Amino acid sequence: MSKGGVGAHSALIDSFGRRISYVRISVTDRCDLRCRYCMAEHMQFLPKRHILTLEEVAQLADIFIARGVRRIRLTGGEPLVRRGVLDLVGWIGKRIGDGLDELTLTTNGTQLQRFADALHAAGVRRVNVSLDSRRPERFAHITRGGDVGQVLRGIAAARAAGLAVKINMVALAGLNEDEIEAMLLWCAGEGLDLTLIETMPLGTVEEDRTSHYLPLDRVKRRLEERFTLTASLARTGGPARYYDVGGLGARLGLITPLTRNFCDGCNRIRVAATGTVYGCLGHDQKVELRHALREGGAEAVTNLLDRLLAGKPRRHDFRIAAGAAPVVARHMSVTGG
């Protein structure tokens, strides 16, 4: 994939002095699972013409790298269901060491058994796998029919291919909160890091997510009754705070958009599969890159990115209302893991 037309530009720095070095790019709105907190059971996916082509995603990646982005994460939906996605991984992977430090992937793991070796060959060294339960019936309930064995085989294939695997587990009251400690012990035994995530009030689903909201400060206190959690110096560029778990040799991450704001160190923006770029998931502040790229090329895109950063808010608007139910000031619907 040619880098033609991408020149040097100033770094991506917002009005609060935060430098954007990390971009998450959704390559599809489609997924082969229907997790209850994430998608409606009968999704209406976007027409193909509204989705960036893989070549356009690669062009955007080059533009971001030219402006100082060092880490790119591909997400979805489920990125590995996008036809030809390995070509995209290969194109971007060639930039590692040439402006890009790392290319990573967030996946539900269902396709990893097929693609793990190819991902490693293309330059990917780390993947995040979403896994909310290891119990087959519970996993099938949360994902509306998913096979946890398929995901576990994918994780094993990823590790055999040389990929570091981090497990992402959305903490859900009444659904999997009794499995969190067991998941931590399993991850420690398998040599995997674990990150717990508070459910976020984003997108349109058919169920009331407030009934499953589980504040992670409560989970942390519960874990500290058994384990010693020591703040870790480890950083991955994302929003997680990490703790070393004494006696297990494991690392635990906590992503807490509601109970503990992480905006001061925000270094990232998110690109939806349509080319819409959000400065913050808690605001409707965005720019549309698809038309700009197709009609005006790299210069039009970089001008829109400057506009986005000039208006990037200091912090999100997620908050916890009385009764610990999460609400959001503005509705947003954006695919991405």
Side-chain angles (χ1 to χ4, degrees):
M1 186 73 184
S2 171
K3 294 185 287 181
V6 180
H9 292 275
S10 59
L12 294 168
I13 300 175
D14 72 10
S15 59
F16 303 103
R18 297 172 299 192
R19 182 169 184 151
I20 305 303
S21 60
Y22 175 24
V23 173
R24 300 167 63 94
I25 305 177
S26 172
V27 300
T28 181
D29 64 331
R30 298 173 185 268
C31 187
D32 52 352
L33 298 179
R34 296 291 184 273
C35 295
R36 293 174 180 274
Y37 56 81
C38 180
M39 283 190 172
E41 184 172 6
H42 303 290
M43 286 292 295
Q44 296 295 316
F45 294 109
L46 294 169
K48 184 177 179 179
R49 67 182 182 277
H50 293 168
I51 301 296
L52 292 167
T53 68
L54 295 179
E55 291 82 358
E56 288 169 340
V57 175
Q59 287 179 269
L60 288 179
D62 279 339
I63 293 169
F64 285 123
I65 293 167
R67 299 204 60 182
V69 168
R70 309 295 296 186
R71 297 179 60 247
I72 291 176
R73 176 174 295 278
L74 300 180
T75 71
E78 169 48 48
L80 293 179
V81 302
R82 175 80 187 259
R83 183 177 300 176
V85 71
L86 288 181
D87 292 332
L88 173 66
V89 174
W91 292 333
I92 300 177
K94 291 177 182 177
R95 296 300 310 273
I96 297 173
D98 181 23
L100 187 67
D101 292 339
E102 186 179 45
L103 174 64
T104 58
L105 192 83
T106 292
T107 173
N108 63 26
T110 60
Q111 307 299 314
L112 268 180
Q113 191 170 12
R114 294 174 55 203
F115 293 124
D117 288 329
L119 290 171
H120 188 276
V124 175
R125 293 296 178 266
R126 293 193 303 120
V127 294
N128 289 0
V129 178
S130 300
L131 181 64
D132 299 324
S133 175
R134 291 190 304 117
R135 300 179 185 178
E137 291 185 3
R138 180 176 289 178
F139 182 87
H141 173 74
I142 294 173
T143 60
R144 294 192 179 97
D147 175 8
V148 72
Q150 184 180 15
V151 176
L152 295 176
R153 290 189 295 273
I155 292 170
R159 297 185 66 203
L163 299 174
V165 177
K166 180 167 71 67
I167 301 300
N168 286 347
M169 180 182 188
V170 177
L172 300 165
L175 286 180
N176 67 1
E177 60 182 312
D178 61 338
E179 201 176 341
I180 290 173
E181 184 175 315
M183 186 72 82
L184 176 59
L185 290 169
W186 176 74
C187 287
E190 295 292 319
L192 311 173
D193 289 341
L194 171 66
T195 291
L196 302 176
I197 305 171
E198 287 178 338
T199 183
M200 295 176 68
L202 294 172
T204 302
V205 297
E206 295 156 340
E207 300 188 9
D208 179 10
R209 277 174 295 199
T210 61
S211 63
H212 296 304
Y213 170 63
L214 181 61
L216 288 185
D217 55 355
R218 189 167 78 200
V219 173
K220 180 173 179 285
R221 288 194 299 270
R222 190 179 305 159
L223 290 174
E224 286 175 326
E225 293 175 1
R226 177 170 179 185
F227 306 104
T228 300
L229 303 183
T230 305
S232 173
L233 297 177
R235 295 289 184 273
T236 63
R241 293 174 291 124
Y242 289 98
Y243 297 88
D244 295 320
V245 185
L248 293 184
R251 182 176 298 140
L252 174 68
L254 302 178
I255 297 181
T256 54
L258 296 172
T259 57
R260 179 169 174 175
N261 185 276
F262 46 64
C263 296
D264 285 345
C266 183
N267 65 340
R268 59 204 165 275
I269 53 178
R270 179 183 301 242
V271 184
T274 57
T276 304
V277 184
Y278 294 90
C280 175
L281 287 183
H283 292 259
D284 274 329
Q285 187 251 355
K286 61 189 177 183
V287 295
E288 306 289 348
L289 297 187
R290 187 179 76 246
H291 179 75
L293 182 64
R294 292 174 181 177
E295 299 298 324
E299 196 63 33
V301 168
T302 205
N303 289 338
L304 281 179
L305 291 175
D306 288 338
R307 183 194 305 173
L308 179 82
L309 291 179
K312 183 174 168 65
R314 178 180 287 276
R315 58 180 293 159
H316 63 60
D317 277 351
F318 303 135
R319 60 188 184 273
I320 304 174
V327 297
V328 64
R330 299 171 178 83
H331 170 75
M332 286 183 58
S333 177
V334 54
T335 58

